[in-house]
Amino acid sequence: MLSEKTDTWVPVALSQDLPAGTVMPARISTGSIALWRSQSGRVAASEDRCPHRGMRLSHGFVRGESLSCIYHGWSYSQAGHCLRIPAHPGLVPPETIRVATQPVEETGGIVWVADGAPAQKPRVLEDYVPLRSMTARAGRAALTAAGATPVADALAWQAPGAPEIRLLPAPQQDGETLIHILVPVECTASERIAASRAAESLRRMAEQIEAKGSVS
């Protein structure tokens, strides 16, 4: 279900999960977007719908500095303008053919997309670096009920024998939450493994709480 814009920055992906020349689906409150990185490394967020026949652009492919629909190959710039229509190679596409785009910021190994018009730049979690992402069948309230503590725009969690981690939750469809896990910069390899297991334990507890409907 679509909702109103939140005027916030949404952490949609880890930089490491979006190599140059790739596109992936992502989500903000108003719906699905196509998140893509050009061959030169620039990141863009486009509406996940080709205006030609409605095919999802996240199913498409990146060619150079443009995103192409997999259906008929219509190509779009990072600003959303249609650049090329293969069936009409001599045609310069009119300005009216375009896809909506969202502002993108990439900081601290996190890709953020503006959901509306945020007043400030996304917050950087100093002294923490991304570890990985996971999806939980639970909302933010269940995560806090399981023991995660709100810290600014993130959540903090520490399990016995593991370093304290930071979690960046992003709501998805059907009550799920995409969670980006960050660990202290100085973490050793064994500590990163322990942190990953700690995040998994939090997810299990949150999903049990969500399933029981015991979130206050």
Side-chain angles (χ1 to χ4, degrees):
M1 178 180 292
L2 300 181
S3 59
E4 296 182 356
K5 296 178 180 179
T6 60
D7 291 331
T8 61
W9 289 98
V10 180
V12 294
L14 301 185
S15 297
Q16 65 195 31
D17 294 331
L18 188 68
T22 61
V23 57
M24 63 184 291
R27 193 164 189 85
I28 56 178
S29 71
T30 51
S32 177
I33 58 174
L35 186 70
W36 57 286
R37 190 187 297 275
S38 71
Q39 292 292 350
S40 68
R42 297 175 61 201
V43 181
S46 305
E47 180 184 7
D48 199 10
R49 180 182 180 277
C50 179
H52 181 215
R53 293 294 178 86
M55 176 64 73
R56 286 187 178 275
L57 287 174
S58 59
H59 293 166
F61 56 94
V62 177
R63 176 179 291 158
E65 301 303 298
S66 64
L67 174 64
S68 298
C69 179
I70 197 171
Y71 196 14
H72 290 108
W74 288 31
S75 299
Y76 303 91
S77 70
Q78 293 197 331
H81 301 109
C82 184
L83 300 174
R84 179 174 178 267
I85 300 176
H88 303 280
L91 173 69
V92 176
E95 288 290 322
T96 53
I97 302 178
R98 59 173 294 118
V99 295
T101 61
Q102 300 294 125
V104 178
E105 291 283 342
E106 189 170 17
T107 59
I110 307 291
V111 179
W112 303 78
V113 171
D115 188 14
Q120 300 176 332
K121 296 288 188 180
R123 178 174 173 266
V124 178
L125 295 180
E126 297 182 358
D127 302 323
Y128 283 82
V129 293
L131 176 63
R132 67 181 184 91
S133 301
M134 66 181 184
T135 299
R137 295 187 300 275
R140 185 184 181 111
L143 291 167
T144 56
T149 305
V151 178
D153 297 327
L155 297 174
W157 167 253
Q158 185 170 19
E164 184 175 87
I165 60 178
R166 293 290 184 268
L167 309 168
L168 292 174
Q172 304 295 294
Q173 297 185 84
D174 303 322
E176 293 188 339
T177 302
L178 175 65
I179 305 170
H180 307 295
I181 306 163
L182 293 87
V183 296
V185 174
E186 68 276 7
C187 269
T188 63
S190 60
E191 288 174 330
R192 291 169 69 89
I193 293 173
S196 182
R197 290 173 176 169
E200 293 286 354
S201 69
L202 176 66
R203 173 169 64 177
R204 288 192 294 271
M205 290 188 290
E207 288 180 340
Q208 292 172 358
I209 290 171
E210 190 78 38
K212 292 178 181 178
S214 55
V215 180
S216 57

